[in-house]
């Protein structure tokens, strides 16, 4: 899909057709390519006189493959975390190409930020390539901030689930059991993985902003974006710091959950240990009276059986009393 934005006397015009734009090539300031066809790529290449990057080239991780100049145009690729609301979040690549008066964006995943900015753009009377570029970056940063806020809210909910055991005890409620802690551990792993992806996306976005603000990045290009991109750069830096804080919080909560699971398991083993110690003396007494010698004390008395029962109960009660006094149970 291709969306072509042109400046008209009535305001901003958006079109998805190629034929009707032939007469207005000089008014085009933004070409948005979403999973473009070969014909749409060819049209954008003819407009800008450059070669568009392929999907595989967009996924290259080298800095020189993501940020470079070619044929007088600046090619800048960044990664963003997309589809966060779904069960299958992905990292999507977006390429920004600045050439002459035209901005070209190439992406293969629909983006909420692009939809929001497109609606805002159509309400404007006039704009240009640089304003669109800076506006897109600001919208992307705002979206990433919303995503991080959502992760922070998720971590707060998990934290209440994990560390609310003391409050639960005061109210007489049950503490989280091992299954609850295991669920919290899985949820922490999911959120921690998404935060790691988000931190990587913010690093890539900051590199793009730094590169785009360098007026000497392309030979023969004298348009400086440093000043309008400076607030965006500060926002990305603050988001990176917040993402680092959330990452540290995830690590702390992971350690806490693992510690609570170990405590839960130790309590289970403690019960088995206490029961073993409690039943060991009665077992010894029963073994003594169960020996097959001809002369055994109390063997032929009417109260010998009851005496053995009383001895076994006393032998079991003494360890229990000891553990109770020592507050082991």
């Amino acid at each position: 899909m291709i969306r072509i934005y042109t400046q008209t006397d009535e305001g901003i015009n958006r079109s998805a057709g190629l034929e009707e734009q032939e007469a207005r090539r000089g008014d085009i300031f933004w070409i948005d390519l979403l999973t473009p066809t070969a014909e749409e790529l060819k049209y954008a290449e003819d407009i800008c006189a450059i070669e568009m990057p392929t999907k595989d080239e967009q996924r290259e991780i080298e800095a020189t493959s993501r940020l470079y100049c070619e044929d007088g145009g600046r090619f800048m690729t960044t990664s963003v975390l997309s589809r966060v609301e779904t069960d299958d979040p992905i990292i999507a690549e977006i390429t920004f190409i600045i050439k002459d008066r035209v901005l070209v964006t190439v992406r293969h995943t629909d983006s909420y930020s692009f939809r929001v900015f497109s609606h805002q753009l159509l309400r404007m009377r006039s704009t240009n390539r640089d304003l669109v570029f800076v506006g897109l970056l600001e919208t992307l940063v705002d979206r990433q901030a919303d995503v991080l806020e959502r992760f922070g809210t998720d971590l707060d909910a998990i934290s209440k689930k994990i560390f609310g055991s003391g409050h639960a005890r005061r109210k007489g409620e049950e503490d989280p059991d091992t299954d609850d802690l295991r669920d919290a551990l899985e949820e922490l792993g999911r959120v921690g993985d998404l935060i790691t992806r988000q931190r990587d996306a913010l690093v890539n976005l900051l590199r793009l902003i730094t590169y785009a603000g360098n007026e000497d990045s392309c030979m023969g290009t004298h348009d400086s974006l440093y000043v309008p991109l400076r607030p965006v750069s500060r926002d990305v830096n603050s988001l990176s710091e917040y993402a680092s804080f959330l990452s540290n919080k995830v690590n702390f909560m992971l350690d806490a959950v693992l510690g609570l699971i170990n405590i839960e398991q130790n309590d289970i083993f403690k019960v088995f240990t206490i029961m073993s110690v409690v039943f060991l003396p009665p077992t010894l007494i029963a073994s003594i009276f169960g020996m097959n010698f001809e002369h055994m004390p109390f063997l032929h008395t009417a109260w010998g059986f009851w005496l053995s029962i009383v001895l076994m109960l006393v032998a079991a009660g003494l360890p229990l009393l000891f553990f109770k006094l020592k507050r082991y149970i």
Side-chain angles (χ1 to χ4, degrees):
M1 179 185 296
I2 185 172
R3 294 185 179 94
I4 303 171
Y5 296 81
T6 57
Q7 179 69 61
T8 65
D9 296 334
E10 293 77 17
I12 307 299
N13 179 65
R14 181 178 67 183
S15 174
L18 299 180
E19 296 80 6
E20 57 186 280
Q21 297 298 329
E22 289 298 326
R24 304 191 60 87
R25 285 197 172 198
D27 299 326
I28 297 175
F29 60 86
W30 180 22
I31 300 176
D32 183 26
L33 298 170
L34 174 60
T35 58
T37 63
E39 181 184 5
E40 293 168 346
L41 283 174
K42 182 66 168 56
Y43 177 83
E45 290 176 346
D46 291 341
I47 291 290
C48 301
I50 55 177
E51 183 179 355
M52 295 295 166
T54 64
K55 189 175 182 179
D56 291 336
E57 290 174 343
Q58 287 181 275
R59 292 177 176 174
E60 296 289 341
I61 62 175
E62 301 92 343
T64 54
S65 298
R66 285 179 167 251
L67 307 169
Y68 62 94
C69 294
E70 188 175 88
D71 298 329
R74 274 182 279 186
F75 292 73
M76 297 164 286
T77 301
T78 187
S79 302
V80 296
L81 188 60
S82 184
R83 299 180 184 175
V84 181
E85 296 82 2
T86 66
D87 295 332
D88 186 25
I90 62 172
I91 290 291
E93 286 75 23
I94 301 176
T95 298
F96 298 88
I97 305 171
I98 296 178
K99 175 68 182 294
D100 299 331
R101 298 175 54 189
V102 181
L103 169 68
V104 181
T105 54
V106 184
R107 52 199 177 97
H108 296 274
T109 303
D110 193 15
S111 173
Y112 174 81
S113 302
F114 274 71
R115 294 196 302 270
V116 170
F117 180 77
S118 176
H119 292 314
Q120 296 174 351
L121 180 64
L122 294 177
R123 293 194 295 266
M124 298 180 182
R125 291 292 302 171
S126 63
T127 188
N128 57 48
R129 178 205 69 184
D130 293 344
L131 292 178
V132 172
F133 177 63
V134 175
L136 278 173
L137 291 179
E138 290 175 344
T139 308
L140 284 173
V141 172
D142 290 341
R143 176 59 175 169
Q144 304 309 303
D146 294 339
V147 171
L148 284 176
E149 289 175 0
R150 176 176 178 175
F151 293 157
T153 302
D154 292 343
L155 288 179
D156 289 339
I158 299 173
S159 178
K160 291 180 180 178
K161 183 178 180 180
I162 297 172
F163 301 111
S165 57
H167 180 69
R169 279 194 295 267
R170 287 192 296 270
K171 285 193 169 186
E173 300 173 2
E174 293 184 359
D175 295 339
D177 57 15
T178 305
D179 291 336
D180 293 334
L181 294 175
R182 186 180 293 110
D183 293 339
L185 187 62
E186 293 177 355
E187 186 67 15
L188 277 174
R190 184 190 68 83
V191 176
D193 176 65
L194 292 177
I195 292 176
T196 301
R197 297 188 190 183
Q198 183 72 326
R199 290 181 65 186
D200 181 64
L202 289 173
V203 169
N204 289 326
L205 188 58
L206 184 60
R207 290 173 180 170
L208 183 149
I209 293 172
T210 303
Y211 182 82
N214 183 7
E215 62 181 346
D216 298 326
S217 59
C218 277
M219 186 170 54
T221 300
H222 304 287
D223 300 324
S224 176
L225 292 171
Y226 175 77
V227 174
L229 286 179
R230 189 163 52 185
V232 185
S233 178
R234 288 199 298 265
D235 289 342
V236 175
N237 279 319
S238 64
L239 290 181
S240 297
E241 294 175 0
Y242 184 63
S244 299
F245 163 74
L246 291 181
S247 181
N248 293 333
K249 186 175 181 180
V250 168
N251 292 331
F252 164 73
M253 293 173 66
L254 283 173
D255 293 338
V257 171
L258 292 176
L260 291 174
I261 290 177
N262 288 331
I263 292 174
E264 185 80 16
Q265 293 176 344
N266 289 338
D267 289 340
I268 296 174
F269 284 114
K270 183 175 71 173
V271 171
F272 284 112
T273 302
I274 291 176
M275 295 305 294
S276 299
V277 174
V278 167
F279 285 104
L280 185 60
T283 303
L284 176 62
I285 294 174
S287 301
I288 293 174
F289 281 96
M291 290 187 288
N292 295 322
F293 292 108
E294 182 177 355
H295 300 286
M296 289 288 297
F298 318 116
L299 183 61
H300 300 287
T301 60
W303 43 268
F305 170 76
W306 300 109
L307 177 63
S308 65
I309 295 296
V310 171
L311 290 175
M312 285 189 284
L313 291 176
V314 172
L318 289 177
L320 283 175
L321 180 61
F322 174 80
F323 290 135
K324 189 68 176 178
L325 292 175
K326 291 294 185 178
R327 296 184 179 180
Y328 293 152
I329 55 176

